[in-house]
Amino acid sequence: MPVTAYDLTGRTAFVTGAASGIGRATAVLLAEAGATVHCADRDPQGLHETATLIKVRGGTARTHHLDVTDRDRLRQAVTDCEGLDFMAAIAGVMHSSPVLETRDEDLDRVWSVNFKGVLYACQEAARVMIANGTRGSIVTMASGAIDTGGPGLLCYGVTKAAVVQLTRTLATEMGPHGIRVNAVAPGWIRTSMTDRHDSEAQARTEAFMARLSPLARVGEPDDIAHAVLHLASDASSFTTGQILRPNGGVAMPW
Ligand SMILES: NC(=O)c1ccc[n+]([C@@H]2O[C@H](COP(=O)([O-])OP(=O)(O)OC[C@H]3O[C@@H](n4cnc5c(N)ncnc54)[C@H](O)[C@@H]3O)[C@@H](O)[C@H]2O)c1
């Protein structure tokens, strides 16, 4: 496969969660690969910073200030993209509480962003791609939480397991249209989501997570952005319905 398979020149990408962390790194990398990148997030300042990062590198970015739980707003933004080729549904939130202390409102809030927000992005992107006859690609963001139990991870883990099921189901339904659908399930990545706001606690947590990895390190947003680029590009043209696990080897499911 020539390296040009990773070239996204002339393609259009839409990235949710683009104001920070994995979403920002993905938006910047897709733009470096040549795509026009539509950056969506509920954080306007972070969106502006991401768009600036893209533009100073010579790329093309558009911003959409929106909440992914607002289906109508998301539909409008996705429909407004000219010739959408790729959707990365990355926006997500963390929640940790023991099962016995988990409240309905916790579950509803996390479900609404991490599952419904991803579902809406997938649905709107797939509708546009089908209408345009585009053989596009959709990537969802799962998590290493799908591969293990962990105290406090009920709400978060349930939503990420649901994202995997959405991905597999949609892949089977979109295949006949030539649209590929895959998930990325990252391990522990340094972002604001994993920031402990205390340097000693941060160092302890990172040392613990690094010990679980054969590579003896935690991940960076760029590690995940490259996995997304692979799934966005023609380099993965025979890959659909798969869960890609850039997790440092922490979990190795069949
Ligand atoms: N950091 C990790 O270790 C890790 C591991 C596995 C999976 N993930 C997943 O990766 C994705 C990105 O996380 P991150 O680590 O970059 O976190 P992050 O907090 O840095 O970024 C999340 C982004 O999503 C946006 N967002 C949240 N709710 C939104 C909403 N309702 N509408 C629009 N935007 C919204 C935030 O404003 C933020 O810009 C999430 O889905 C997360 O679950 C992260």
Side-chain angles (χ1 to χ4, degrees), residues 16-23 40-43 66-69 89-93 113-114 141-144 156 160 185-194:
T16 75
S20 174
I22 292 169
D41 204 287
R42 66 180 173 187
D43 167 9
L66 55 79
D67 191 310
V68 292
T69 64
I90 296 178
V93 290
V113 179
N114 289 10
M141 199 51 55
S143 162
Y156 185 76
K160 295 302 186 179
W188 204 96
I189 310 300
R190 271 191 194 127
T191 68
S192 59
M193 184 175 281
T194 51

PDB file of all heavy atoms in Angstrom, residues 16-23 40-43 66-69 89-93 113-114 141-144 156 160 185-194, ligand 1:
ATOM      1  N   THR A  16     -16.237  15.619  16.194  1.00  0.00           N
ATOM      2  CA  THR A  16     -16.862  16.138  17.418  1.00  0.00           C
ATOM      3  C   THR A  16     -15.867  15.997  18.570  1.00  0.00           C
ATOM      4  O   THR A  16     -14.986  15.140  18.545  1.00  0.00           O
ATOM      5  CB  THR A  16     -18.169  15.396  17.772  1.00  0.00           C
ATOM      6  OG1 THR A  16     -17.860  14.103  18.312  1.00  0.00           O
ATOM      7  CG2 THR A  16     -19.088  15.252  16.557  1.00  0.00           C
ATOM      8  N   GLY A  17     -16.002  16.861  19.560  1.00  0.00           N
ATOM      9  CA  GLY A  17     -15.034  16.862  20.671  1.00  0.00           C
ATOM     10  C   GLY A  17     -13.714  17.477  20.250  1.00  0.00           C
ATOM     11  O   GLY A  17     -12.670  17.207  20.855  1.00  0.00           O
ATOM     12  N   ALA A  18     -13.756  18.330  19.230  1.00  0.00           N
ATOM     13  CA  ALA A  18     -12.520  18.838  18.611  1.00  0.00           C
ATOM     14  C   ALA A  18     -11.848  19.952  19.410  1.00  0.00           C
ATOM     15  O   ALA A  18     -10.781  20.418  19.020  1.00  0.00           O
ATOM     16  CB  ALA A  18     -12.822  19.322  17.194  1.00  0.00           C
ATOM     17  N   ALA A  19     -12.452  20.367  20.525  1.00  0.00           N
ATOM     18  CA  ALA A  19     -11.873  21.498  21.276  1.00  0.00           C
ATOM     19  C   ALA A  19     -10.764  21.077  22.223  1.00  0.00           C
ATOM     20  O   ALA A  19     -10.107  21.936  22.824  1.00  0.00           O
ATOM     21  CB  ALA A  19     -12.976  22.208  22.060  1.00  0.00           C
ATOM     22  N   SER A  20     -10.528  19.776  22.371  1.00  0.00           N
ATOM     23  CA  SER A  20      -9.592  19.341  23.417  1.00  0.00           C
ATOM     24  C   SER A  20      -9.078  17.934  23.122  1.00  0.00           C
ATOM     25  O   SER A  20      -9.680  17.188  22.342  1.00  0.00           O
ATOM     26  CB  SER A  20     -10.363  19.360  24.755  1.00  0.00           C
ATOM     27  OG  SER A  20      -9.602  18.825  25.797  1.00  0.00           O
ATOM     28  N   GLY A  21      -7.959  17.610  23.752  1.00  0.00           N
ATOM     29  CA  GLY A  21      -7.482  16.228  23.844  1.00  0.00           C
ATOM     30  C   GLY A  21      -7.423  15.450  22.540  1.00  0.00           C
ATOM     31  O   GLY A  21      -6.810  15.880  21.549  1.00  0.00           O
ATOM     32  N   ILE A  22      -8.061  14.291  22.539  1.00  0.00           N
ATOM     33  CA  ILE A  22      -8.018  13.372  21.396  1.00  0.00           C
ATOM     34  C   ILE A  22      -8.694  13.993  20.170  1.00  0.00           C
ATOM     35  O   ILE A  22      -8.203  13.865  19.041  1.00  0.00           O
ATOM     36  CB  ILE A  22      -8.693  12.031  21.784  1.00  0.00           C
ATOM     37  CG1 ILE A  22      -7.843  11.301  22.845  1.00  0.00           C
ATOM     38  CG2 ILE A  22      -8.919  11.167  20.556  1.00  0.00           C
ATOM     39  CD1 ILE A  22      -8.533  10.110  23.484  1.00  0.00           C
ATOM     40  N   GLY A  23      -9.813  14.678  20.397  1.00  0.00           N
ATOM     41  CA  GLY A  23     -10.534  15.307  19.279  1.00  0.00           C
ATOM     42  C   GLY A  23      -9.686  16.380  18.616  1.00  0.00           C
ATOM     43  O   GLY A  23      -9.644  16.480  17.392  1.00  0.00           O
ATOM     44  N   ALA A  40     -16.324  20.416  15.764  1.00  0.00           N
ATOM     45  CA  ALA A  40     -17.532  20.687  16.551  1.00  0.00           C
ATOM     46  C   ALA A  40     -17.271  20.417  18.029  1.00  0.00           C
ATOM     47  O   ALA A  40     -16.605  19.435  18.377  1.00  0.00           O
ATOM     48  CB  ALA A  40     -18.677  19.799  16.058  1.00  0.00           C
ATOM     49  N   ASP A  41     -17.813  21.296  18.873  1.00  0.00           N
ATOM     50  CA  ASP A  41     -17.650  21.107  20.314  1.00  0.00           C
ATOM     51  C   ASP A  41     -18.571  22.094  21.024  1.00  0.00           C
ATOM     52  O   ASP A  41     -19.033  23.067  20.423  1.00  0.00           O
ATOM     53  CB  ASP A  41     -16.195  21.355  20.727  1.00  0.00           C
ATOM     54  CG  ASP A  41     -15.805  20.646  22.014  1.00  0.00           C
ATOM     55  OD1 ASP A  41     -16.250  21.078  23.100  1.00  0.00           O
ATOM     56  OD2 ASP A  41     -15.048  19.650  21.939  1.00  0.00           O
ATOM     57  N   ARG A  42     -18.771  21.854  22.335  1.00  0.00           N
ATOM     58  CA  ARG A  42     -19.574  22.813  23.105  1.00  0.00           C
ATOM     59  C   ARG A  42     -18.700  23.890  23.739  1.00  0.00           C
ATOM     60  O   ARG A  42     -19.229  24.790  24.398  1.00  0.00           O
ATOM     61  CB  ARG A  42     -20.383  22.075  24.174  1.00  0.00           C
ATOM     62  CG  ARG A  42     -19.542  21.428  25.247  1.00  0.00           C
ATOM     63  CD  ARG A  42     -20.394  20.715  26.271  1.00  0.00           C
ATOM     64  NE  ARG A  42     -19.557  19.972  27.199  1.00  0.00           N
ATOM     65  CZ  ARG A  42     -20.030  19.141  28.113  1.00  0.00           C
ATOM     66  NH1 ARG A  42     -21.332  18.930  28.210  1.00  0.00           N
ATOM     67  NH2 ARG A  42     -19.220  18.518  28.925  1.00  0.00           N
ATOM     68  N   ASP A  43     -17.360  23.773  23.567  1.00  0.00           N
ATOM     69  CA  ASP A  43     -16.416  24.724  24.169  1.00  0.00           C
ATOM     70  C   ASP A  43     -15.903  25.678  23.077  1.00  0.00           C
ATOM     71  O   ASP A  43     -15.019  25.322  22.288  1.00  0.00           O
ATOM     72  CB  ASP A  43     -15.263  23.921  24.786  1.00  0.00           C
ATOM     73  CG  ASP A  43     -14.074  24.799  25.162  1.00  0.00           C
ATOM     74  OD1 ASP A  43     -14.188  26.044  25.103  1.00  0.00           O
ATOM     75  OD2 ASP A  43     -13.026  24.228  25.520  1.00  0.00           O
ATOM     76  N   LEU A  66     -21.527  23.638  19.189  1.00  0.00           N
ATOM     77  CA  LEU A  66     -22.779  22.893  19.410  1.00  0.00           C
ATOM     78  C   LEU A  66     -22.601  21.843  20.502  1.00  0.00           C
ATOM     79  O   LEU A  66     -21.483  21.476  20.869  1.00  0.00           O
ATOM     80  CB  LEU A  66     -23.230  22.212  18.109  1.00  0.00           C
ATOM     81  CG  LEU A  66     -22.256  21.274  17.381  1.00  0.00           C
ATOM     82  CD1 LEU A  66     -22.186  19.898  18.023  1.00  0.00           C
ATOM     83  CD2 LEU A  66     -22.697  21.121  15.927  1.00  0.00           C
ATOM     84  N   ASP A  67     -23.743  21.403  20.991  1.00  0.00           N
ATOM     85  CA  ASP A  67     -23.779  20.294  21.945  1.00  0.00           C
ATOM     86  C   ASP A  67     -24.222  19.055  21.169  1.00  0.00           C
ATOM     87  O   ASP A  67     -25.254  19.102  20.477  1.00  0.00           O
ATOM     88  CB  ASP A  67     -24.783  20.640  23.068  1.00  0.00           C
ATOM     89  CG  ASP A  67     -24.686  19.664  24.229  1.00  0.00           C
ATOM     90  OD1 ASP A  67     -24.705  18.438  23.982  1.00  0.00           O
ATOM     91  OD2 ASP A  67     -24.570  20.132  25.370  1.00  0.00           O
ATOM     92  N   VAL A  68     -23.462  17.971  21.283  1.00  0.00           N
ATOM     93  CA  VAL A  68     -23.784  16.789  20.462  1.00  0.00           C
ATOM     94  C   VAL A  68     -25.095  16.127  20.862  1.00  0.00           C
ATOM     95  O   VAL A  68     -25.605  15.272  20.133  1.00  0.00           O
ATOM     96  CB  VAL A  68     -22.642  15.735  20.485  1.00  0.00           C
ATOM     97  CG1 VAL A  68     -21.400  16.240  19.773  1.00  0.00           C
ATOM     98  CG2 VAL A  68     -22.342  15.259  21.902  1.00  0.00           C
ATOM     99  N   THR A  69     -25.649  16.525  22.006  1.00  0.00           N
ATOM    100  CA  THR A  69     -26.946  15.950  22.398  1.00  0.00           C
ATOM    101  C   THR A  69     -28.105  16.694  21.716  1.00  0.00           C
ATOM    102  O   THR A  69     -29.250  16.281  21.850  1.00  0.00           O
ATOM    103  CB  THR A  69     -27.136  16.001  23.936  1.00  0.00           C
ATOM    104  OG1 THR A  69     -27.173  17.370  24.348  1.00  0.00           O
ATOM    105  CG2 THR A  69     -26.011  15.271  24.647  1.00  0.00           C
ATOM    106  N   ALA A  89     -16.693  10.648  15.675  1.00  0.00           N
ATOM    107  CA  ALA A  89     -17.583  10.990  16.794  1.00  0.00           C
ATOM    108  C   ALA A  89     -16.807  10.768  18.090  1.00  0.00           C
ATOM    109  O   ALA A  89     -16.791   9.667  18.652  1.00  0.00           O
ATOM    110  CB  ALA A  89     -18.840  10.128  16.742  1.00  0.00           C
ATOM    111  N   ILE A  90     -16.141  11.831  18.552  1.00  0.00           N
ATOM    112  CA  ILE A  90     -15.159  11.706  19.639  1.00  0.00           C
ATOM    113  C   ILE A  90     -15.634  12.327  20.948  1.00  0.00           C
ATOM    114  O   ILE A  90     -15.212  11.890  22.028  1.00  0.00           O
ATOM    115  CB  ILE A  90     -13.812  12.327  19.186  1.00  0.00           C
ATOM    116  CG1 ILE A  90     -13.247  11.516  18.011  1.00  0.00           C
ATOM    117  CG2 ILE A  90     -12.805  12.379  20.330  1.00  0.00           C
ATOM    118  CD1 ILE A  90     -11.947  12.040  17.422  1.00  0.00           C
ATOM    119  N   ALA A  91     -16.531  13.314  20.892  1.00  0.00           N
ATOM    120  CA  ALA A  91     -16.950  14.005  22.126  1.00  0.00           C
ATOM    121  C   ALA A  91     -17.434  12.998  23.165  1.00  0.00           C
ATOM    122  O   ALA A  91     -18.175  12.063  22.854  1.00  0.00           O
ATOM    123  CB  ALA A  91     -18.065  15.003  21.811  1.00  0.00           C
ATOM    124  N   GLY A  92     -17.002  13.187  24.398  1.00  0.00           N
ATOM    125  CA  GLY A  92     -17.430  12.288  25.464  1.00  0.00           C
ATOM    126  C   GLY A  92     -17.118  12.881  26.817  1.00  0.00           C
ATOM    127  O   GLY A  92     -16.336  13.830  26.937  1.00  0.00           O
ATOM    128  N   VAL A  93     -17.760  12.336  27.843  1.00  0.00           N
ATOM    129  CA  VAL A  93     -17.520  12.784  29.215  1.00  0.00           C
ATOM    130  C   VAL A  93     -17.260  11.564  30.104  1.00  0.00           C
ATOM    131  O   VAL A  93     -17.687  10.459  29.802  1.00  0.00           O
ATOM    132  CB  VAL A  93     -18.727  13.573  29.789  1.00  0.00           C
ATOM    133  CG1 VAL A  93     -18.857  14.924  29.104  1.00  0.00           C
ATOM    134  CG2 VAL A  93     -20.020  12.779  29.666  1.00  0.00           C
ATOM    135  N   VAL A 113     -24.612  12.067  26.317  1.00  0.00           N
ATOM    136  CA  VAL A 113     -23.440  12.548  25.565  1.00  0.00           C
ATOM    137  C   VAL A 113     -22.726  11.384  24.881  1.00  0.00           C
ATOM    138  O   VAL A 113     -22.486  11.397  23.667  1.00  0.00           O
ATOM    139  CB  VAL A 113     -22.441  13.284  26.493  1.00  0.00           C
ATOM    140  CG1 VAL A 113     -21.218  13.761  25.695  1.00  0.00           C
ATOM    141  CG2 VAL A 113     -23.109  14.449  27.209  1.00  0.00           C
ATOM    142  N   ASN A 114     -22.366  10.360  25.673  1.00  0.00           N
ATOM    143  CA  ASN A 114     -21.455   9.312  25.170  1.00  0.00           C
ATOM    144  C   ASN A 114     -22.127   8.323  24.229  1.00  0.00           C
ATOM    145  O   ASN A 114     -21.463   7.739  23.373  1.00  0.00           O
ATOM    146  CB  ASN A 114     -20.860   8.523  26.335  1.00  0.00           C
ATOM    147  CG  ASN A 114     -19.866   9.327  27.135  1.00  0.00           C
ATOM    148  OD1 ASN A 114     -19.753  10.534  26.950  1.00  0.00           O
ATOM    149  ND2 ASN A 114     -19.162   8.681  28.048  1.00  0.00           N
ATOM    150  N   MET A 141     -15.705   6.674  19.144  1.00  0.00           N
ATOM    151  CA  MET A 141     -14.692   6.590  20.199  1.00  0.00           C
ATOM    152  C   MET A 141     -15.226   5.739  21.347  1.00  0.00           C
ATOM    153  O   MET A 141     -16.115   6.159  22.089  1.00  0.00           O
ATOM    154  CB  MET A 141     -14.332   7.999  20.670  1.00  0.00           C
ATOM    155  CG  MET A 141     -13.028   8.141  21.395  1.00  0.00           C
ATOM    156  SD  MET A 141     -11.532   7.437  20.626  1.00  0.00           S
ATOM    157  CE  MET A 141     -11.472   8.182  19.007  1.00  0.00           C
ATOM    158  N   ALA A 142     -14.687   4.525  21.469  1.00  0.00           N
ATOM    159  CA  ALA A 142     -15.035   3.668  22.611  1.00  0.00           C
ATOM    160  C   ALA A 142     -13.986   3.913  23.693  1.00  0.00           C
ATOM    161  O   ALA A 142     -13.557   5.053  23.913  1.00  0.00           O
ATOM    162  CB  ALA A 142     -15.085   2.216  22.159  1.00  0.00           C
ATOM    163  N   SER A 143     -13.543   2.876  24.372  1.00  0.00           N
ATOM    164  CA  SER A 143     -12.566   3.046  25.464  1.00  0.00           C
ATOM    165  C   SER A 143     -12.052   1.681  25.886  1.00  0.00           C
ATOM    166  O   SER A 143     -12.754   0.665  25.738  1.00  0.00           O
ATOM    167  CB  SER A 143     -13.254   3.720  26.657  1.00  0.00           C
ATOM    168  OG  SER A 143     -12.499   3.526  27.826  1.00  0.00           O
ATOM    169  N   GLY A 144     -10.869   1.686  26.480  1.00  0.00           N
ATOM    170  CA  GLY A 144     -10.355   0.463  27.096  1.00  0.00           C
ATOM    171  C   GLY A 144     -11.281  -0.058  28.176  1.00  0.00           C
ATOM    172  O   GLY A 144     -11.182  -1.223  28.574  1.00  0.00           O
ATOM    173  N   TYR A 156     -19.870   5.093  32.541  1.00  0.00           N
ATOM    174  CA  TYR A 156     -18.945   5.303  31.421  1.00  0.00           C
ATOM    175  C   TYR A 156     -18.799   4.018  30.601  1.00  0.00           C
ATOM    176  O   TYR A 156     -18.920   4.021  29.371  1.00  0.00           O
ATOM    177  CB  TYR A 156     -17.603   5.752  31.986  1.00  0.00           C
ATOM    178  CG  TYR A 156     -16.571   6.124  30.942  1.00  0.00           C
ATOM    179  CD1 TYR A 156     -16.647   7.324  30.259  1.00  0.00           C
ATOM    180  CD2 TYR A 156     -15.507   5.264  30.664  1.00  0.00           C
ATOM    181  CE1 TYR A 156     -15.691   7.667  29.309  1.00  0.00           C
ATOM    182  CE2 TYR A 156     -14.548   5.599  29.721  1.00  0.00           C
ATOM    183  CZ  TYR A 156     -14.653   6.806  29.044  1.00  0.00           C
ATOM    184  OH  TYR A 156     -13.706   7.137  28.103  1.00  0.00           O
ATOM    185  N   LYS A 160     -19.767   3.083  26.605  1.00  0.00           N
ATOM    186  CA  LYS A 160     -18.740   2.718  25.622  1.00  0.00           C
ATOM    187  C   LYS A 160     -19.016   1.332  25.026  1.00  0.00           C
ATOM    188  O   LYS A 160     -18.759   1.090  23.837  1.00  0.00           O
ATOM    189  CB  LYS A 160     -17.354   2.783  26.261  1.00  0.00           C
ATOM    190  CG  LYS A 160     -16.946   4.203  26.677  1.00  0.00           C
ATOM    191  CD  LYS A 160     -16.947   5.178  25.501  1.00  0.00           C
ATOM    192  CE  LYS A 160     -16.419   6.543  25.872  1.00  0.00           C
ATOM    193  NZ  LYS A 160     -16.402   7.480  24.734  1.00  0.00           N
ATOM    194  N   ALA A 185     -10.698   2.131  20.592  1.00  0.00           N
ATOM    195  CA  ALA A 185     -10.850   1.942  22.047  1.00  0.00           C
ATOM    196  C   ALA A 185      -9.507   2.240  22.716  1.00  0.00           C
ATOM    197  O   ALA A 185      -8.694   1.334  22.947  1.00  0.00           O
ATOM    198  CB  ALA A 185     -11.311   0.519  22.347  1.00  0.00           C
ATOM    199  N   PRO A 186      -9.262   3.527  23.020  1.00  0.00           N
ATOM    200  CA  PRO A 186      -7.949   3.903  23.562  1.00  0.00           C
ATOM    201  C   PRO A 186      -7.742   3.403  24.986  1.00  0.00           C
ATOM    202  O   PRO A 186      -8.701   3.237  25.747  1.00  0.00           O
ATOM    203  CB  PRO A 186      -8.000   5.445  23.574  1.00  0.00           C
ATOM    204  CG  PRO A 186      -9.186   5.839  22.763  1.00  0.00           C
ATOM    205  CD  PRO A 186     -10.142   4.704  22.837  1.00  0.00           C
ATOM    206  N   GLY A 187      -6.467   3.212  25.320  1.00  0.00           N
ATOM    207  CA  GLY A 187      -6.103   3.007  26.720  1.00  0.00           C
ATOM    208  C   GLY A 187      -6.032   4.355  27.413  1.00  0.00           C
ATOM    209  O   GLY A 187      -6.699   5.310  26.999  1.00  0.00           O
ATOM    210  N   TRP A 188      -5.194   4.466  28.440  1.00  0.00           N
ATOM    211  CA  TRP A 188      -5.111   5.694  29.255  1.00  0.00           C
ATOM    212  C   TRP A 188      -4.315   6.754  28.497  1.00  0.00           C
ATOM    213  O   TRP A 188      -3.126   6.570  28.233  1.00  0.00           O
ATOM    214  CB  TRP A 188      -4.437   5.350  30.576  1.00  0.00           C
ATOM    215  CG  TRP A 188      -4.764   6.280  31.702  1.00  0.00           C
ATOM    216  CD1 TRP A 188      -5.731   6.099  32.647  1.00  0.00           C
ATOM    217  CD2 TRP A 188      -4.097   7.510  32.026  1.00  0.00           C
ATOM    218  NE1 TRP A 188      -5.722   7.144  33.532  1.00  0.00           N
ATOM    219  CE2 TRP A 188      -4.737   8.028  33.185  1.00  0.00           C
ATOM    220  CE3 TRP A 188      -3.051   8.231  31.456  1.00  0.00           C
ATOM    221  CZ2 TRP A 188      -4.340   9.213  33.776  1.00  0.00           C
ATOM    222  CZ3 TRP A 188      -2.666   9.426  32.052  1.00  0.00           C
ATOM    223  CH2 TRP A 188      -3.311   9.896  33.200  1.00  0.00           C
ATOM    224  N   ILE A 189      -4.973   7.858  28.160  1.00  0.00           N
ATOM    225  CA  ILE A 189      -4.364   8.917  27.340  1.00  0.00           C
ATOM    226  C   ILE A 189      -4.322  10.213  28.151  1.00  0.00           C
ATOM    227  O   ILE A 189      -5.308  10.570  28.811  1.00  0.00           O
ATOM    228  CB  ILE A 189      -5.210   9.159  26.055  1.00  0.00           C
ATOM    229  CG1 ILE A 189      -5.511   7.838  25.331  1.00  0.00           C
ATOM    230  CG2 ILE A 189      -4.510  10.155  25.132  1.00  0.00           C
ATOM    231  CD1 ILE A 189      -4.313   7.059  24.865  1.00  0.00           C
ATOM    232  N   ARG A 190      -3.198  10.920  28.067  1.00  0.00           N
ATOM    233  CA  ARG A 190      -3.055  12.206  28.781  1.00  0.00           C
ATOM    234  C   ARG A 190      -3.924  13.289  28.146  1.00  0.00           C
ATOM    235  O   ARG A 190      -3.568  13.816  27.089  1.00  0.00           O
ATOM    236  CB  ARG A 190      -1.614  12.686  28.679  1.00  0.00           C
ATOM    237  CG  ARG A 190      -0.743  12.198  29.770  1.00  0.00           C
ATOM    238  CD  ARG A 190       0.580  12.936  29.744  1.00  0.00           C
ATOM    239  NE  ARG A 190       1.506  12.224  30.579  1.00  0.00           N
ATOM    240  CZ  ARG A 190       2.704  11.826  30.193  1.00  0.00           C
ATOM    241  NH1 ARG A 190       3.137  12.096  28.980  1.00  0.00           N
ATOM    242  NH2 ARG A 190       3.478  11.193  31.035  1.00  0.00           N
ATOM    243  N   THR A 191      -5.048  13.602  28.758  1.00  0.00           N
ATOM    244  CA  THR A 191      -5.921  14.698  28.291  1.00  0.00           C
ATOM    245  C   THR A 191      -6.557  15.339  29.518  1.00  0.00           C
ATOM    246  O   THR A 191      -6.335  14.891  30.643  1.00  0.00           O
ATOM    247  CB  THR A 191      -7.068  14.176  27.391  1.00  0.00           C
ATOM    248  OG1 THR A 191      -7.962  13.402  28.196  1.00  0.00           O
ATOM    249  CG2 THR A 191      -6.573  13.338  26.230  1.00  0.00           C
ATOM    250  N   SER A 192      -7.426  16.316  29.282  1.00  0.00           N
ATOM    251  CA  SER A 192      -8.100  16.925  30.441  1.00  0.00           C
ATOM    252  C   SER A 192      -9.008  15.912  31.136  1.00  0.00           C
ATOM    253  O   SER A 192      -9.271  16.024  32.327  1.00  0.00           O
ATOM    254  CB  SER A 192      -8.885  18.168  30.022  1.00  0.00           C
ATOM    255  OG  SER A 192      -9.829  17.817  29.056  1.00  0.00           O
ATOM    256  N   MET A 193      -9.444  14.885  30.401  1.00  0.00           N
ATOM    257  CA  MET A 193     -10.308  13.868  31.023  1.00  0.00           C
ATOM    258  C   MET A 193      -9.563  13.063  32.083  1.00  0.00           C
ATOM    259  O   MET A 193     -10.148  12.591  33.054  1.00  0.00           O
ATOM    260  CB  MET A 193     -10.854  12.926  29.941  1.00  0.00           C
ATOM    261  CG  MET A 193     -11.843  11.909  30.478  1.00  0.00           C
ATOM    262  SD  MET A 193     -12.583  10.906  29.184  1.00  0.00           S
ATOM    263  CE  MET A 193     -13.817  12.006  28.540  1.00  0.00           C
ATOM    264  N   THR A 194      -8.263  12.880  31.883  1.00  0.00           N
ATOM    265  CA  THR A 194      -7.483  12.067  32.827  1.00  0.00           C
ATOM    266  C   THR A 194      -6.594  12.932  33.719  1.00  0.00           C
ATOM    267  O   THR A 194      -5.730  12.409  34.425  1.00  0.00           O
ATOM    268  CB  THR A 194      -6.612  11.052  32.060  1.00  0.00           C
ATOM    269  OG1 THR A 194      -5.880  11.753  31.039  1.00  0.00           O
ATOM    270  CG2 THR A 194      -7.448   9.966  31.418  1.00  0.00           C
TER     271      THR A 194
HETATM  272  N1  LIG B   1      -8.311  10.220  27.781  1.00  0.00           N
HETATM  273  C1  LIG B   1      -8.461   8.912  27.844  1.00  0.00           C
HETATM  274  O1  LIG B   1      -7.700   8.217  28.561  1.00  0.00           O
HETATM  275  C2  LIG B   1      -9.518   8.227  27.048  1.00  0.00           C
HETATM  276  C3  LIG B   1      -9.474   6.829  26.988  1.00  0.00           C
HETATM  277  C4  LIG B   1     -10.453   6.162  26.263  1.00  0.00           C
HETATM  278  C5  LIG B   1     -11.431   6.870  25.581  1.00  0.00           C
HETATM  279  N2  LIG B   1     -11.440   8.225  25.667  1.00  0.00           N
HETATM  280  C6  LIG B   1     -12.524   8.910  24.942  1.00  0.00           C
HETATM  281  O2  LIG B   1     -11.974   9.827  24.030  1.00  0.00           O
HETATM  282  C7  LIG B   1     -12.900  10.893  23.812  1.00  0.00           C
HETATM  283  C8  LIG B   1     -12.182  12.223  23.980  1.00  0.00           C
HETATM  284  O3  LIG B   1     -11.770  12.339  25.331  1.00  0.00           O
HETATM  285  P1  LIG B   1     -10.491  13.188  25.795  1.00  0.00           P
HETATM  286  O4  LIG B   1      -9.701  12.316  26.668  1.00  0.00           O
HETATM  287  O5  LIG B   1      -9.894  13.849  24.636  1.00  0.00           O
HETATM  288  O6  LIG B   1     -11.230  14.227  26.758  1.00  0.00           O
HETATM  289  P2  LIG B   1     -11.305  15.810  26.731  1.00  0.00           P
HETATM  290  O7  LIG B   1     -12.110  16.141  27.938  1.00  0.00           O
HETATM  291  O8  LIG B   1      -9.964  16.404  26.569  1.00  0.00           O
HETATM  292  O9  LIG B   1     -12.151  16.118  25.415  1.00  0.00           O
HETATM  293  C9  LIG B   1     -13.525  15.883  25.337  1.00  0.00           C
HETATM  294  C10 LIG B   1     -14.137  16.952  24.446  1.00  0.00           C
HETATM  295  O10 LIG B   1     -15.527  16.633  24.264  1.00  0.00           O
HETATM  296  C11 LIG B   1     -16.257  17.836  24.395  1.00  0.00           C
HETATM  297  N3  LIG B   1     -17.634  17.546  24.808  1.00  0.00           N
HETATM  298  C12 LIG B   1     -18.044  16.910  25.928  1.00  0.00           C
HETATM  299  N4  LIG B   1     -19.369  16.855  25.965  1.00  0.00           N
HETATM  300  C13 LIG B   1     -19.823  17.464  24.836  1.00  0.00           C
HETATM  301  C14 LIG B   1     -21.115  17.723  24.308  1.00  0.00           C
HETATM  302  N5  LIG B   1     -22.226  17.354  24.970  1.00  0.00           N
HETATM  303  N6  LIG B   1     -21.223  18.356  23.115  1.00  0.00           N
HETATM  304  C15 LIG B   1     -20.100  18.753  22.454  1.00  0.00           C
HETATM  305  N7  LIG B   1     -18.857  18.551  22.916  1.00  0.00           N
HETATM  306  C16 LIG B   1     -18.725  17.902  24.098  1.00  0.00           C
HETATM  307  C17 LIG B   1     -15.516  18.630  25.453  1.00  0.00           C
HETATM  308  O11 LIG B   1     -15.864  20.019  25.431  1.00  0.00           O
HETATM  309  C18 LIG B   1     -14.079  18.356  25.072  1.00  0.00           C
HETATM  310  O12 LIG B   1     -13.608  19.298  24.126  1.00  0.00           O
HETATM  311  C19 LIG B   1     -14.053  10.670  24.790  1.00  0.00           C
HETATM  312  O13 LIG B   1     -15.111  10.028  24.116  1.00  0.00           O
HETATM  313  C20 LIG B   1     -13.441   9.741  25.812  1.00  0.00           C
HETATM  314  O14 LIG B   1     -14.413   8.948  26.456  1.00  0.00           O
HETATM  315  C21 LIG B   1     -10.512   8.929  26.373  1.00  0.00           C
END
